[in-house]
Amino acid sequence: MGRSDRHSDNGSMSIESVSDARAGVTVTSPQAPTRRWPALAAAAYIGLFCLIAGTVVLWNVAHGTSWNDNGVVILAVCLRMLTVALALASVQAWGRRIPSWIVLAGLWGAAAVQLVYPVAETVVKGLILTGAMHPLDKGISNMSPEGWFNFGAMWTIWGVPGVLFLLAALSYRARTPVRARWILLGVIGGIALLGGLGILIG
């Protein structure tokens, strides 16, 4: 029996299997399915968010608001559907047609975009609670019940899927070696996209 792994930076396949040359049968490695769950969980989690948000938009439009009034939500749904496609591409056969560096950079970018604010607020709140930092005149240091509710909502909407994308990116890199520069590009690109969206919305 022999193990075959094929991968490259330009989008070639990544295949993990155990082949029995005598029987002519290919059996998937028992470890492979366990590596799929972060990407599948991220796709399902964000897909549910998109379904809920899309339903709200349709409800609003049906009750008199314009599509322009819901533009921010529509943009968010479209971008998140793109991340769903990236997550699925990292574990589905059709994803092998996409260059591996694009998939890896996209996964890291999606993780960075969604983790920046939750992690930053967690750090700030931790520093304030320990007395290492004075409260800021910003919502990020709001310690009221409303502030903690918003903090929990942020982790629910952004933090949890961000962690799932981080795990999916690590899993994909372990299965499909890609140069580290694409990780850096994905993180920088994700943060830049977040900053651009903030300016656009603001």
Short mmCIF file of all heavy atoms in Angstrom, two decimals, residues 12-45:
data_model
loop_
_atom_site.label_atom_id
_atom_site.label_comp_id
_atom_site.label_asym_id
_atom_site.label_seq_id
_atom_site.Cartn_x
_atom_site.Cartn_y
_atom_site.Cartn_z
N SER A 12 -3.40 23.15 -8.10
CA SER A 12 -3.51 21.75 -8.40
C SER A 12 -4.19 21.02 -7.27
O SER A 12 -4.44 21.55 -6.22
CB SER A 12 -2.12 21.16 -8.64
OG SER A 12 -1.31 21.40 -7.53
N MET A 13 -4.48 19.74 -7.48
CA MET A 13 -5.26 18.97 -6.53
C MET A 13 -4.48 18.66 -5.28
O MET A 13 -3.28 18.55 -5.28
CB MET A 13 -5.71 17.68 -7.17
CG MET A 13 -6.65 17.84 -8.30
SD MET A 13 -7.36 16.23 -8.62
CE MET A 13 -7.21 16.17 -10.34
N SER A 14 -5.24 18.48 -4.18
CA SER A 14 -4.70 17.95 -2.96
C SER A 14 -5.49 16.70 -2.63
O SER A 14 -6.66 16.77 -2.34
CB SER A 14 -4.85 18.97 -1.82
OG SER A 14 -4.50 18.38 -0.61
N ILE A 15 -4.81 15.54 -2.71
CA ILE A 15 -5.51 14.28 -2.54
C ILE A 15 -4.81 13.48 -1.47
O ILE A 15 -3.59 13.32 -1.51
CB ILE A 15 -5.53 13.47 -3.84
CG1 ILE A 15 -6.21 14.30 -4.93
CG2 ILE A 15 -6.22 12.13 -3.64
CD1 ILE A 15 -6.16 13.64 -6.27
N GLU A 16 -5.58 13.00 -0.47
CA GLU A 16 -5.04 12.14 0.56
C GLU A 16 -5.78 10.82 0.49
O GLU A 16 -6.98 10.77 0.70
CB GLU A 16 -5.21 12.76 1.94
CG GLU A 16 -4.37 14.00 2.14
CD GLU A 16 -4.38 14.42 3.58
OE1 GLU A 16 -4.88 13.67 4.42
OE2 GLU A 16 -3.88 15.50 3.85
N SER A 17 -5.07 9.78 0.17
CA SER A 17 -5.72 8.49 0.04
C SER A 17 -4.73 7.38 0.26
O SER A 17 -3.52 7.58 0.21
CB SER A 17 -6.38 8.34 -1.32
OG SER A 17 -5.39 8.40 -2.32
N VAL A 18 -5.25 6.22 0.49
CA VAL A 18 -4.44 5.01 0.60
C VAL A 18 -4.87 4.08 -0.51
O VAL A 18 -6.05 3.75 -0.61
CB VAL A 18 -4.63 4.35 1.97
CG1 VAL A 18 -3.79 3.09 2.06
CG2 VAL A 18 -4.25 5.33 3.08
N SER A 19 -3.94 3.68 -1.36
CA SER A 19 -4.29 2.89 -2.55
C SER A 19 -3.78 1.47 -2.39
O SER A 19 -2.65 1.24 -1.98
CB SER A 19 -3.67 3.52 -3.79
OG SER A 19 -4.14 4.82 -3.95
N ASP A 20 -4.62 0.54 -2.72
CA ASP A 20 -4.24 -0.87 -2.76
C ASP A 20 -4.00 -1.22 -4.22
O ASP A 20 -4.93 -1.38 -5.00
CB ASP A 20 -5.36 -1.73 -2.18
CG ASP A 20 -4.93 -3.18 -2.00
OD1 ASP A 20 -4.07 -3.63 -2.80
OD2 ASP A 20 -5.45 -3.83 -1.08
N ALA A 21 -2.72 -1.28 -4.61
CA ALA A 21 -2.38 -1.49 -6.01
C ALA A 21 -2.87 -2.84 -6.52
O ALA A 21 -3.26 -2.98 -7.67
CB ALA A 21 -0.86 -1.38 -6.20
N ARG A 22 -2.87 -3.83 -5.65
CA ARG A 22 -3.27 -5.16 -6.11
C ARG A 22 -4.76 -5.22 -6.40
O ARG A 22 -5.20 -5.84 -7.35
CB ARG A 22 -2.91 -6.20 -5.04
CG ARG A 22 -1.40 -6.40 -4.87
CD ARG A 22 -1.10 -7.27 -3.68
NE ARG A 22 -1.58 -6.65 -2.44
CZ ARG A 22 -1.50 -7.23 -1.25
NH1 ARG A 22 -0.99 -8.44 -1.15
NH2 ARG A 22 -1.94 -6.61 -0.18
N ALA A 23 -5.57 -4.59 -5.54
CA ALA A 23 -7.02 -4.65 -5.73
C ALA A 23 -7.52 -3.55 -6.65
O ALA A 23 -8.65 -3.58 -7.11
CB ALA A 23 -7.73 -4.55 -4.38
N GLY A 24 -6.67 -2.55 -6.89
CA GLY A 24 -7.09 -1.43 -7.73
C GLY A 24 -8.15 -0.58 -7.07
O GLY A 24 -9.00 0.00 -7.72
N VAL A 25 -8.10 -0.48 -5.72
CA VAL A 25 -9.11 0.26 -4.97
C VAL A 25 -8.44 1.39 -4.22
O VAL A 25 -7.34 1.23 -3.69
CB VAL A 25 -9.84 -0.66 -3.97
CG1 VAL A 25 -10.83 0.13 -3.14
CG2 VAL A 25 -10.53 -1.79 -4.71
N THR A 26 -9.09 2.56 -4.17
CA THR A 26 -8.59 3.69 -3.39
C THR A 26 -9.49 3.89 -2.19
O THR A 26 -10.70 4.05 -2.34
CB THR A 26 -8.57 4.98 -4.24
OG1 THR A 26 -7.71 4.77 -5.34
CG2 THR A 26 -8.06 6.15 -3.42
N VAL A 27 -8.89 3.88 -1.01
CA VAL A 27 -9.64 4.03 0.23
C VAL A 27 -9.23 5.33 0.89
O VAL A 27 -8.04 5.59 1.08
CB VAL A 27 -9.37 2.85 1.19
CG1 VAL A 27 -10.18 3.00 2.45
CG2 VAL A 27 -9.69 1.54 0.49
N THR A 28 -10.19 6.16 1.24
CA THR A 28 -9.88 7.44 1.87
C THR A 28 -9.29 7.22 3.25
O THR A 28 -9.74 6.35 4.00
CB THR A 28 -11.16 8.28 2.02
OG1 THR A 28 -11.71 8.45 0.72
CG2 THR A 28 -10.85 9.65 2.62
N SER A 29 -8.27 8.01 3.58
CA SER A 29 -7.65 7.90 4.90
C SER A 29 -8.65 8.20 6.00
O SER A 29 -9.44 9.14 5.89
CB SER A 29 -6.47 8.91 5.00
OG SER A 29 -6.02 9.00 6.33
N PRO A 30 -8.65 7.45 7.11
CA PRO A 30 -9.60 7.68 8.19
C PRO A 30 -9.47 9.07 8.81
O PRO A 30 -10.40 9.58 9.39
CB PRO A 30 -9.23 6.59 9.22
CG PRO A 30 -8.54 5.54 8.42
CD PRO A 30 -7.82 6.27 7.34
N GLN A 31 -8.28 9.69 8.67
CA GLN A 31 -8.07 10.99 9.28
C GLN A 31 -8.67 12.12 8.45
O GLN A 31 -8.94 13.19 8.97
CB GLN A 31 -6.57 11.26 9.46
CG GLN A 31 -5.90 10.30 10.45
CD GLN A 31 -4.44 10.60 10.60
OE1 GLN A 31 -3.85 11.34 9.82
NE2 GLN A 31 -3.83 10.01 11.61
N ALA A 32 -8.88 11.88 7.15
CA ALA A 32 -9.33 12.96 6.26
C ALA A 32 -10.67 13.57 6.66
O ALA A 32 -10.81 14.78 6.70
CB ALA A 32 -9.38 12.46 4.82
N PRO A 33 -11.73 12.78 6.99
CA PRO A 33 -13.02 13.39 7.30
C PRO A 33 -12.99 14.31 8.50
O PRO A 33 -13.72 15.29 8.55
CB PRO A 33 -13.92 12.17 7.56
CG PRO A 33 -13.25 11.05 6.84
CD PRO A 33 -11.80 11.32 6.96
N THR A 34 -12.12 14.02 9.50
CA THR A 34 -12.08 14.86 10.70
C THR A 34 -11.57 16.26 10.39
O THR A 34 -11.82 17.18 11.13
CB THR A 34 -11.20 14.22 11.77
OG1 THR A 34 -9.85 14.12 11.28
CG2 THR A 34 -11.71 12.85 12.15
N ARG A 35 -10.87 16.40 9.29
CA ARG A 35 -10.32 17.70 8.93
C ARG A 35 -11.32 18.57 8.19
O ARG A 35 -11.04 19.73 7.93
CB ARG A 35 -9.07 17.51 8.07
CG ARG A 35 -7.93 16.81 8.80
CD ARG A 35 -6.81 16.49 7.86
NE ARG A 35 -5.68 15.90 8.55
CZ ARG A 35 -4.63 15.36 7.94
NH1 ARG A 35 -4.60 15.32 6.62
NH2 ARG A 35 -3.63 14.86 8.62
N ARG A 36 -12.42 18.01 7.82
CA ARG A 36 -13.42 18.74 7.05
C ARG A 36 -14.38 19.55 7.91
O ARG A 36 -14.99 20.50 7.44
CB ARG A 36 -14.23 17.75 6.20
CG ARG A 36 -13.45 17.06 5.12
CD ARG A 36 -14.16 15.80 4.63
NE ARG A 36 -15.53 16.08 4.23
CZ ARG A 36 -15.91 16.36 2.99
NH1 ARG A 36 -15.00 16.41 2.04
NH2 ARG A 36 -17.17 16.58 2.71
N TRP A 37 -14.54 19.18 9.18
CA TRP A 37 -15.63 19.75 9.96
C TRP A 37 -15.53 21.26 10.18
O TRP A 37 -16.57 21.93 10.19
CB TRP A 37 -15.78 19.01 11.30
CG TRP A 37 -14.71 19.31 12.32
CD1 TRP A 37 -13.60 18.59 12.59
CD2 TRP A 37 -14.70 20.43 13.22
NE1 TRP A 37 -12.88 19.17 13.59
CE2 TRP A 37 -13.52 20.30 14.00
CE3 TRP A 37 -15.55 21.52 13.44
CZ2 TRP A 37 -13.18 21.24 14.97
CZ3 TRP A 37 -15.20 22.44 14.42
CH2 TRP A 37 -14.03 22.30 15.17
N PRO A 38 -14.32 21.87 10.38
CA PRO A 38 -14.33 23.33 10.57
C PRO A 38 -14.90 24.08 9.38
O PRO A 38 -15.69 25.03 9.55
CB PRO A 38 -12.85 23.66 10.81
CG PRO A 38 -12.23 22.40 11.27
CD PRO A 38 -12.95 21.32 10.52
N ALA A 39 -14.51 23.67 8.17
CA ALA A 39 -15.01 24.35 6.97
C ALA A 39 -16.50 24.14 6.80
O ALA A 39 -17.25 25.07 6.46
CB ALA A 39 -14.25 23.87 5.74
N LEU A 40 -16.97 22.91 7.02
CA LEU A 40 -18.39 22.62 6.89
C LEU A 40 -19.20 23.36 7.96
O LEU A 40 -20.29 23.87 7.68
CB LEU A 40 -18.63 21.11 6.99
CG LEU A 40 -18.01 20.27 5.86
CD1 LEU A 40 -18.21 18.78 6.13
CD2 LEU A 40 -18.61 20.66 4.51
N ALA A 41 -18.67 23.42 9.17
CA ALA A 41 -19.35 24.14 10.25
C ALA A 41 -19.42 25.63 9.95
O ALA A 41 -20.44 26.29 10.17
CB ALA A 41 -18.65 23.90 11.58
N ALA A 42 -18.32 26.19 9.42
CA ALA A 42 -18.31 27.61 9.05
C ALA A 42 -19.33 27.91 7.96
O ALA A 42 -20.07 28.90 8.03
CB ALA A 42 -16.90 28.02 8.60
N ALA A 43 -19.38 27.04 6.95
CA ALA A 43 -20.34 27.23 5.86
C ALA A 43 -21.77 27.17 6.37
O ALA A 43 -22.62 27.99 5.98
CB ALA A 43 -20.11 26.19 4.77
N ALA A 44 -22.06 26.21 7.25
CA ALA A 44 -23.41 26.07 7.78
C ALA A 44 -23.77 27.26 8.68
O ALA A 44 -24.89 27.79 8.60
CB ALA A 44 -23.53 24.77 8.57
N TYR A 45 -22.84 27.68 9.52
CA TYR A 45 -23.08 28.78 10.47
C TYR A 45 -23.38 30.07 9.71
O TYR A 45 -24.36 30.77 9.99
CB TYR A 45 -21.84 28.95 11.35
CG TYR A 45 -22.06 29.75 12.61
CD1 TYR A 45 -22.23 29.11 13.83
CD2 TYR A 45 -22.07 31.14 12.58
CE1 TYR A 45 -22.41 29.84 15.00
CE2 TYR A 45 -22.25 31.87 13.74
CZ TYR A 45 -22.42 31.22 14.95
OH TYR A 45 -22.62 31.96 16.10
#
